[in-house]
Amino acid sequence: MAKSEETSTSASSSMADSSLRPWQSYHTVYTNAKAGMDGVDKEKVQRVVYEMSKGSKYFENEERKEAYMKQKIENMRAQCAKLKATDISHYQRVVDKRSVELEATRDLSRIWLHVDMDAFYAAVETLSNPSLKGRPMAVGSMSMISTANYEARKFGVRAAMPGFIACKLCPELVFVPTDFKKYTYYSDLTRKVYQEYDPNFTAASLDEAYLDITKVCKERSMTGGEVAEELRLNVYKATGLTCSAGVSPNRLLAKVCSDINKPNGQFVLPNDRAAIMTFISSLPIRKIGGIGKVTEHILKDVFEIKTCEDLLQKGSFLCALFSPSSADFFISVGLGLGGTDAPQVRSRKSMSNERTFSATKDEAFFYQKLVELAEMLSADMEKGGLYGRTLTLKLKTASFEVRTRAVTLQSYIWSSKDILKHASKLLKAELPVSLRLIGLRMSHFNEDKGGGTPSDPMQRTLLNFIKPGDGNREIVDEEHSDIKDSYEEAHCHAYTNPSHDHLSELDQNICSSSDNNEKAAEHHELEGNEYKDQINEDTLVENSMKSSAFDAHVTDTHSLEGKNQDHLRRIGFSANETEPSSSNHEEPFMWLDDYKCLLCGVELPPSFVEERQEHSDFHLAEKLQEEEESGDSYKKFPLKHRMMRQKEGVVGQSKGKKKQKHSPSNGKHIPIDAFFTKTSQNL
DNA sequence: GGGGATGACTGGC
DNA sequence: TTCCAGCCAGTCATCCCC
């Protein structure tokens, strides 16, 4: 949770304090330190935000989220408390080993530059309207602000703040509507400058970029600082706008550095390990890209981690409670490591449109919104030459609860007609509902972006046939999934709400007008049947291979890969629903070195008594199931399935309607974003 | 058991 | 007067099918 230092210690704040100053426990992002916000009366900002939010649906939802997070923190604290000295020393050894491995990857040979335009949208607006100069101004609307100039920031006004709250904080605030055409134009001008220093620079957004200036420094015998100075001057000459820069041996730190002397400044971190470690030692964790308000809150409240150095010092706890990839990320941040190689060009993964409106239950209105969104999305996809297979409907209810519902189709679509047809079906299953936002997202794009006919996932390509080795497995899986999709397309059109309402009527009209797609579906189904015999053969071969592989797996617990261990570790923690309880008579024989499960390799410290009990039960249940399955009559209905069916009281109804997921807080590892596969922001 | 589909959630701008 | 966006990418857990 991003909050001011004085409000971040919710654990230590007394009850008396919270009753006198309730806003102090209302965690908003608006008091988080941002460039130009030094000297802001944070308590006043927090009080105003609290007063204006109190009692609203938004506020209630924030409280729900807060309560959920507190529960999560409590769970993690309980896990921490269970760790004994021997556990901690065990995990410390793991951290030490990993630190050495990560340290070996340190590359101090590159010089990275991160450029960040100062209050970009606001600066562009001031450039085109000089009368705004010196006045507090925000780009955006009464409902949401995109950015604010430095005059407005002095009042606590900032990006992602609702305009009406900003107005309260700064009554003289001038609002300017967003104009992306203008921002794109100026962004292009800056990029022409960047190109002169690194032709392969990475644009992180309209106003941010990463440049590898190693080559230009060498060729022109200049330091990183000198290049940054010159580049900033050239950006100013080309646009009339100022920017800030950070120079460091890796992208992660370059981004942190560019924020230090904002606006119109720069900071250079030398390519020297000692300097990096000193820099990192007092750096607040929230400054790191990838550590947001939730992760910050958890790290502070559970482990009392505030600086990047603390991440290393508390490494053993992090290793014990987080997934290996998350722990790796935290350790590498503690060591001041980040990306130094040229980031790979990533293709677009999804495309979406969403619109917010006043909360309503009006189904005709929902449909009209769907029509608009489908048309917008279709137009965007056509522009990008994209065809997608997965359509996701996003809904935000009147109480700010976000739901997503997705369908993956057997064929690629792009037309507004097809998008609308499937979106209507997804929405219909959610009615009646009061909504304040509807969104549509397409994903699962075809690889062929060169136009022409979209590739059909049902079609066997030449490559499929000739691909050797492991590729065969992929072919089998693809075919299975395609046939399943065909089946669903043909059989799962029974929706939960059969009433003949507005949407269903329109739905039928659309379906009947979408003949081509239906014909394609029939065609695919025929194709699918043709391949069924081949698939059965493949499955037989696959199954026989699996059984022998399983035997080897059980006897060789030391050869488990990290990923596999992680997976099994999760199973160990989450297997608790259908397994019968059992005595722990196997316990003394299960744990290698008192940590590692002999059967699957999962690591659990001896003090995690309940978890280990559950884990033993899990393996026992597995064994029971194997025994049961050895009797032919039950082979087609494994234990889990039978129990579930009995529980539901219905047979054969599970298909087409998945159960809602359990809360992720039940799992051992909390999800942390973009750790090593960095996002564009988190390079 | 593996992998695809799905949904919730986090993070950045 | 107004009353908390829109877009994208990624991780993780769970369900389900083969």
Side-chain angles (χ1 to χ4, degrees):
Chain A
M1 174 79 32
K3 53 201 171 180
S4 60
E5 285 297 314
E6 58 266 51
T7 59
S8 64
T9 50
S10 60
S12 59
S13 63
S14 69
M15 290 296 287
D17 272 0
S18 65
S19 62
L20 286 171
R21 297 187 175 87
W23 57 87
Q24 288 194 338
S25 58
Y26 179 50
H27 301 122
T28 78
V29 294
Y30 309 128
T31 49
N32 183 40
K34 201 165 159 65
M37 297 191 75
D38 295 335
V40 172
D41 184 347
K42 287 174 185 169
E43 183 158 338
K44 185 191 162 196
V45 172
Q46 202 159 16
R47 195 179 64 242
V48 169
V49 172
Y50 173 80
E51 292 296 340
M52 297 207 68
S53 307
K54 195 174 55 179
S56 67
K57 297 273 183 196
Y58 175 81
F59 184 86
E60 284 169 16
N61 191 57
E62 288 299 297
E63 283 192 322
R64 269 196 296 273
K65 289 196 311 199
E66 187 76 21
Y68 173 72
M69 202 198 295
K70 273 185 181 155
Q71 185 57 55
K72 202 155 140 182
I73 286 170
E74 282 311 311
N75 291 345
M76 292 188 85
R77 276 186 179 152
Q79 299 275 329
C80 257
K82 280 184 191 172
L83 290 170
K84 289 182 177 164
T86 47
D87 304 328
I88 295 164
S89 61
H90 167 79
Y91 287 113
Q92 190 56 53
R93 284 195 295 277
V94 175
V95 172
D96 293 343
K97 185 168 172 271
R98 198 64 195 123
S99 297
V100 170
E101 287 164 1
L102 288 168
E103 184 61 52
T105 69
R106 191 188 292 276
D107 179 4
L108 294 171
S109 68
R110 315 301 304 177
I111 305 173
W112 280 94
L113 172 77
H114 178 250
V115 207
D116 194 346
M117 301 301 294
D118 301 325
F120 185 52
Y121 297 173
V124 170
E125 293 299 341
T126 308
L127 209 59
S128 57
N129 180 4
S131 73
L132 293 168
K133 206 171 178 181
R135 297 166 66 192
M137 181 262 279
V139 177
S141 67
M142 208 41 97
S143 62
M144 191 52 70
I145 289 172
S146 290
T147 193
N149 66 7
Y150 285 88
E151 283 77 11
R153 289 185 195 188
K154 287 175 193 159
F155 293 87
V157 176
R158 53 163 296 170
M161 176 181 272
F164 66 93
I165 291 179
C167 259
K168 187 84 177 175
L169 289 168
C170 176
E172 302 89 52
L173 190 67
V174 179
F175 282 89
V176 178
T178 46
D179 181 353
F180 279 96
K181 243 183 182 174
K182 233 188 268 178
Y183 314 142
T184 308
Y185 170 78
Y186 280 96
S187 179
D188 287 344
L189 293 181
T190 64
R191 288 174 187 187
K192 274 181 191 150
V193 177
Y194 303 155
Q195 199 119 35
E196 292 166 20
Y197 295 86
D198 177 10
N200 303 314
F201 75 91
T202 310
S205 62
L206 281 179
D207 69 325
E208 275 185 50
Y210 292 89
L211 288 78
D212 182 352
I213 54 168
T214 316
K215 202 174 161 195
V216 76
C217 284
K218 203 179 256 179
E219 282 173 358
R220 296 172 56 188
S221 301
M222 287 169 81
T223 64
E226 286 165 348
V227 169
E229 198 85 52
E230 185 189 293
L231 177 138
R232 287 175 45 237
L233 185 66
N234 286 341
V235 167
Y236 183 74
K237 280 180 187 165
T239 62
L241 301 167
T242 63
C243 63
S244 301
V247 179
S248 107
N250 65 56
R251 290 188 295 276
L252 186 127
L253 292 178
K255 168 127 176 87
V256 176
C257 290
S258 69
D259 197 48
I260 291 174
N261 285 321
K262 246 182 174 310
N264 199 18
Q266 63 184 54
F267 183 86
V268 180
L269 184 61
N271 288 30
D272 172 67
R273 190 185 181 278
I276 292 170
M277 295 313 285
T278 307
F279 179 75
I280 277 290
S281 67
S282 58
L283 188 68
I285 47 171
R286 188 68 164 88
K287 295 281 178 191
I288 300 295
I291 298 182
K293 62 172 186 177
V294 173
T295 311
E296 184 196 32
H297 199 172
I298 290 169
L299 291 177
K300 272 186 179 168
D301 285 7
V302 180
F303 308 98
E304 292 173 358
I305 291 172
K306 288 178 182 167
T307 67
C308 296
E309 189 179 41
D310 295 341
L311 287 170
L312 268 194
Q313 285 174 358
K314 300 282 173 68
S316 54
F317 290 95
L318 299 175
C319 240
L321 270 85
F322 286 89
S323 69
S325 64
S326 303
D328 258 16
F329 171 70
F330 293 137
I331 296 168
S332 73
V333 168
L335 289 167
L337 298 169
T340 55
D341 51 338
Q344 287 182 341
V345 180
R346 282 180 292 268
S347 57
R348 178 189 275 276
K349 300 281 189 295
S350 67
M351 184 175 263
S352 64
N353 282 116
E354 63 191 60
R355 286 296 173 269
T356 297
F357 40 82
S358 302
T360 174
K361 289 180 181 172
D362 185 345
E363 292 175 14
F365 178 82
F366 295 160
Y367 183 76
Q368 187 49 44
K369 278 287 158 204
L370 273 192
V371 171
E372 290 167 21
L373 289 164
E375 279 170 2
M376 281 192 280
L377 186 56
S378 171
D380 288 347
M381 289 178 71
E382 192 178 6
K383 242 184 265 172
L386 296 167
Y387 304 85
R389 271 182 73 207
T390 301
L391 177 70
T392 305
L393 172 75
K394 177 179 171 181
L395 305 173
K396 195 185 276 182
T397 66
S399 56
F400 286 84
E401 178 206 346
V402 177
R403 295 182 199 167
T404 58
R405 298 290 179 263
V407 60
T408 299
L409 308 164
Q410 57 149 4
S411 52
Y412 291 102
I413 62 168
W414 68 272
S415 74
S416 58
K417 199 187 281 181
D418 285 335
I419 293 172
L420 183 60
K421 172 183 146 187
H422 296 288
S424 303
K425 289 173 185 171
L426 291 172
L427 176 61
K428 210 179 139 228
E430 299 300 313
L431 298 176
V433 66
S434 178
L435 298 174
R436 55 173 291 113
L437 173 144
I438 299 181
L440 287 177
R441 180 168 75 234
M442 283 298 301
S443 53
H444 245 119
F445 294 135
N446 61 324
E447 295 301 315
D448 172 25
K449 288 187 190 158
T453 9
S455 57
D456 185 337
M458 282 299 293
Q459 201 161 350
R460 287 171 76 106
T461 62
L462 272 175
L463 190 67
N464 286 158
F465 278 103
I466 58 173
K467 203 175 174 185
D470 286 350
N472 289 335
R473 205 185 132 63
E474 284 175 26
I475 296 167
V476 172
D477 287 347
E478 259 181 47
E479 286 170 348
H480 285 182
S481 124
D482 293 337
I483 285 165
K484 187 190 76 182
D485 287 343
S486 286
Y487 178 88
E488 282 180 352
E489 186 75 351
H491 297 92
C492 76
H493 284 181
Y495 286 85
T496 52
N497 184 354
S499 64
H500 190 74
D501 57 13
H502 181 73
L503 275 171
S504 63
E505 206 171 294
L506 288 159
D507 200 26
Q508 279 164 15
N509 291 339
I510 299 159
C511 285
S512 62
S513 68
S514 186
D515 270 343
N516 288 343
N517 215 37
E518 297 299 334
K519 275 177 190 164
E522 283 170 28
H523 171 70
H524 293 320
E525 198 165 22
L526 281 173
E527 262 190 340
N529 287 333
E530 279 169 25
Y531 290 129
K532 270 179 185 164
D533 291 344
Q534 178 63 44
I535 289 160
N536 287 338
E537 277 178 37
D538 289 343
T539 313
L540 280 174
V541 173
E542 203 183 1
N543 285 344
S544 70
M545 284 169 74
K546 272 180 188 168
S547 76
S548 57
F550 179 72
D551 292 340
H553 171 79
V554 171
T555 49
D556 185 12
T557 56
H558 294 275
S559 65
L560 283 164
E561 293 294 321
K563 190 184 164 192
N564 203 19
Q565 281 191 24
D566 183 32
H567 175 68
L568 292 162
R569 183 182 229 171
R570 277 188 226 116
I571 291 170
F573 270 87
S574 60
N576 55 7
E577 279 184 357
T578 54
E579 289 77 7
S581 62
S582 75
S583 68
N584 64 347
H585 63 277
E586 284 185 315
E587 174 84 359
F589 309 104
M590 268 185 69
W591 303 96
L592 181 70
D593 295 336
D594 220 15
Y595 275 92
K596 196 178 261 185
C597 172
L598 274 170
L599 296 175
C600 67
V602 62
E603 281 190 34
L604 277 175
S607 51
F608 282 42
V609 180
E610 283 172 32
E611 287 81 1
R612 283 169 65 135
Q613 177 66 58
E614 278 180 12
H615 193 82
S616 312
D617 289 350
F618 170 71
H619 283 305
L620 186 68
E622 263 187 344
K623 205 173 169 185
L624 283 171
Q625 187 168 324
E626 272 173 32
E627 282 167 13
E628 271 191 83
E629 284 176 3
S630 65
D632 274 339
S633 59
Y634 278 85
K635 210 157 194 169
K636 287 185 178 176
F637 297 97
L639 178 69
K640 249 185 176 171
H641 280 205
R642 289 200 311 276
M643 290 182 78
M644 214 143 72
R645 283 167 184 235
Q646 283 166 13
K647 212 171 163 184
E648 288 167 358
V650 182
V651 177
Q653 223 184 358
S654 61
K655 190 163 179 91
K657 191 79 186 170
K658 284 180 77 162
K659 284 205 294 187
Q660 291 295 312
K661 284 176 42 150
H662 295 156
S663 163
S665 63
N666 297 334
K668 175 177 185 266
H669 302 125
I670 66 157
I672 304 292
D673 258 49
F675 283 153
F676 280 100
T677 9
K678 299 294 178 193
T679 65
S680 57
Q681 295 86 27
N682 192 16
L683 298 149

